[in-house]
Amino acid sequence: MERWQQRLSYGVSDLACNLVLTLMSSYVLIFYTDVFSIGTSAAGSVMLAARLIDAVTVVLLGIAIDRTHTRWGKSRPYFLFGAVPFGLAVVLAFWAPELPASARLVYAFVTYTLLSVMYSLVNLPVSSITPALTTDPWERSLLVTTRMICAMVGVTIVSTATSPLIETLGGGDDRRGYRTVAVIIGAAAALMLLGAFVFIREKVPAKPPVKGDVLGDFKAMDGQCVLFAMIGVVFYIAYCFRGASILYYFTYNLQRPDLIPMIGIFGTLSGLPALLAAPYVLKHITRRLAMFLSVLTYALGTLLLAFGPFSAALYGGLVLTGMGFYMVQMVNFSTGPDVLDYCRCKSGRDIAGTYSALSTSISKLSMGLGSFGVGLLLKYGGYQEGAAAQTTQALGSIKMGFVWIQLLICAVVLVMVPFYRLDKEMPAVRAALAHEGKETAR
């Protein structure tokens, strides 16, 4: 019972984050352009600038986590102190007050930056806390599986329910609909994070940090550590292009906005069988092979979506991209603690916060680049905000962001994956850390 309490509480922490992340990645750009009346390039620039600021603050946060020592642990206190500000930031970002054009731009920048920073404050500990929960590889796989299933639930809820809720709760007023949905999601996320603080326990003793030696923490990340982080980040750039362009693609290219809820059902829940099987699969194949097959599955699904509104290709593409994405995430999050163990074994340092911050910082930039890139594509394609139909050039720009750029980035990731070589090193690393634990116990 205690283990399942730990697993579910850990999963709920990421469920809270994914409720908000999905709202940010899939709805904020179209909210800015079609509801808050900000131009496409200006909206993309706001989001990129906010991510640049957030990318710096998240590194500072990671350094702070590695230097946090409380009776609650290193990462867990951030759930307590970040939950309520995070929920309020969600509401402010989607409030859309009546303002002049220049003031709207400033408001969007300030509130989106605030939301991005608050998201980092509660999400970075979700990753940095994993090595502190257990040293057992099997238990780590189960923890990450539970986390990913809960994340999937969050993505499914927002992808499936947000558009109908905006219409229903807004009563034809999209501005009011977005506000109401933001209040619901912000409150739910805050309550879940507070619950995670109450029930999660950090069980693995942390090494005390070397005070003031921040540079040493970054030096402790060797080439394999950086490579693995970059594999996940580069793939995430592709997913950010998808998130920023998918509503445009279904609305204008496919002319089927009614199918948007299917993104959540077919494109998300399809990952559930893969996640349930993942702990058993990862027992029999290397992490490198698992990552390669996962990215390849996602790329094939994206290619199928290029064939338009043909039902078999559409639903097949959503299923394959859902399976591929969640398998990539599963491999990424379950292997991350192994990479940190490897760094700890080589350097003698606990750098979970710094490592998570570095990968998260670059991921933040990826989200900004995805939104900025799609914004530029829309601008130069001649996209007309709120128009019932778009020009052929605008449709081509949307498809470029949703399909072809994603496939190009996936090809880059598939070239990177074979250079990851830690699978053979991990038995020796685990043995060394187990011996270190026995010496510490004495």
Side-chain angles (χ1 to χ4, degrees):
M1 180 61 71
E2 181 184 350
R3 285 191 172 186
W4 272 110
Q5 176 179 292
Q6 181 93 318
R7 294 166 190 162
L8 290 173
S9 301
Y10 178 61
V12 165
S13 68
D14 209 30
L15 168 56
C17 292
N18 273 273
L19 287 173
V20 178
L21 179 62
T22 308
L23 191 67
M24 291 170 68
S25 60
S26 295
Y27 283 88
V28 75
L29 184 59
I30 200 167
F31 167 75
Y32 282 155
T33 58
D34 291 15
V35 177
F36 207 28
S37 300
I38 298 175
T40 53
S41 60
S45 298
V46 162
M47 296 169 74
L48 178 59
R51 291 301 181 184
L52 288 171
I53 294 172
D54 188 27
V56 176
T57 59
V58 76
V59 173
L60 299 177
L61 176 60
I63 294 170
I65 288 175
D66 282 337
R67 283 153 180 77
T68 298
H69 285 273
T70 72
R71 61 192 177 96
W72 299 314
K74 292 175 61 173
S75 301
R76 190 168 151 242
Y78 292 87
F79 297 144
L80 174 63
F81 297 113
V84 174
F86 178 50
L88 291 174
V90 176
V91 176
L92 289 173
F94 288 91
W95 194 254
E98 297 287 351
L99 295 170
S102 58
R104 286 200 300 271
L105 199 61
V106 173
Y107 182 88
F109 171 71
V110 172
T111 56
Y112 189 76
T113 302
L114 176 65
L115 177 55
S116 298
V117 172
M118 288 299 102
Y119 176 84
S120 297
L121 182 65
V122 296
N123 181 253
L124 186 60
V126 177
S127 295
S128 65
I129 202 173
T130 313
L133 300 180
T134 181
T135 57
D136 178 50
W138 174 250
E139 181 61 21
R140 282 179 175 174
S141 293
L142 293 178
L143 280 164
V144 172
T145 298
T146 307
R147 172 186 178 178
M148 295 310 304
I149 290 173
C150 289
M152 178 188 299
V153 170
V155 173
T156 304
I157 290 171
V158 176
S159 299
T160 305
T162 298
S163 292
L165 281 175
I166 289 169
E167 183 177 348
T168 302
L169 299 176
D173 181 353
D174 283 350
R175 189 180 297 250
R176 185 172 65 184
Y178 271 100
R179 284 178 180 174
T180 309
V181 168
V183 169
I184 294 170
I185 290 178
L191 289 173
M192 289 177 190
L193 288 166
L194 291 173
F197 166 78
V198 171
F199 294 109
I200 289 177
R201 294 291 182 271
E202 296 185 27
K203 297 181 178 181
V204 180
K207 279 180 172 289
V210 181
K211 293 185 178 179
D213 189 16
V214 175
L215 185 60
D217 287 350
F218 286 96
K219 287 182 178 179
M221 290 183 270
D222 77 342
Q224 285 291 296
C225 179
V226 173
L227 172 66
F228 184 76
M230 290 306 299
I231 287 171
V233 165
V234 173
F235 173 79
Y236 192 60
I237 294 174
Y239 192 71
C240 289
F241 267 90
R242 171 193 170 97
S245 59
I246 192 166
L247 296 184
Y248 295 99
Y249 188 74
F250 272 71
T251 301
Y252 297 110
N253 291 63
L254 302 185
Q255 296 184 339
R256 293 297 304 273
D258 58 299
L259 291 180
I260 289 174
M262 295 299 102
I263 298 169
I265 296 173
F266 286 91
T268 305
L269 291 180
S270 58
L272 182 59
L275 288 178
L276 293 175
Y280 303 94
V281 172
L282 292 176
K283 268 189 167 184
H284 297 94
I285 66 174
T286 64
R287 305 301 171 95
R288 180 171 66 180
L289 178 58
M291 180 65 82
F292 189 90
L293 293 175
S294 301
V295 175
L296 184 60
T297 300
Y298 181 87
L300 291 174
T302 301
L303 184 60
L304 278 178
L305 290 172
F307 289 100
F310 304 109
S311 58
L314 179 65
Y315 295 127
L318 287 174
V319 168
L320 287 178
T321 51
M323 291 177 63
F325 173 74
Y326 281 102
M327 276 303 300
V328 168
Q329 295 294 85
M330 175 67 191
V331 176
N332 190 32
F333 290 130
S334 63
T335 307
D338 290 349
V339 174
L340 290 169
D341 285 347
Y342 172 76
C343 292
R344 177 172 174 166
C345 188
K346 287 192 65 178
S347 67
R349 287 175 177 264
D350 242 334
I351 56 168
T354 303
Y355 171 82
S356 299
L358 181 63
S359 58
T360 301
S361 174
I362 304 173
S363 296
K364 297 286 186 180
L365 290 175
S366 303
M367 287 186 70
L369 287 171
S371 299
F372 180 71
V374 172
L376 283 181
L377 287 170
L378 293 174
K379 178 183 178 182
Y380 290 108
Y383 173 79
Q384 297 295 317
E385 293 88 349
Q390 301 292 336
T391 65
T392 302
Q393 186 176 356
L395 295 176
S397 295
I398 294 170
K399 191 170 187 176
M400 174 67 71
F402 184 69
V403 177
W404 307 120
I405 290 179
Q406 281 202 84
L407 288 176
L408 177 62
I409 295 172
C410 285
V412 173
V413 177
L414 291 173
V415 171
M416 296 171 66
V417 169
F419 291 95
Y420 175 76
R421 299 191 179 96
L422 286 190
D423 288 303
K424 294 181 180 179
E425 302 279 349
M426 290 315 300
V429 168
R430 293 188 186 105
L433 291 179
H435 178 73
E436 175 188 294
K438 291 177 182 178
E439 291 297 316
T440 303
R442 291 177 187 173

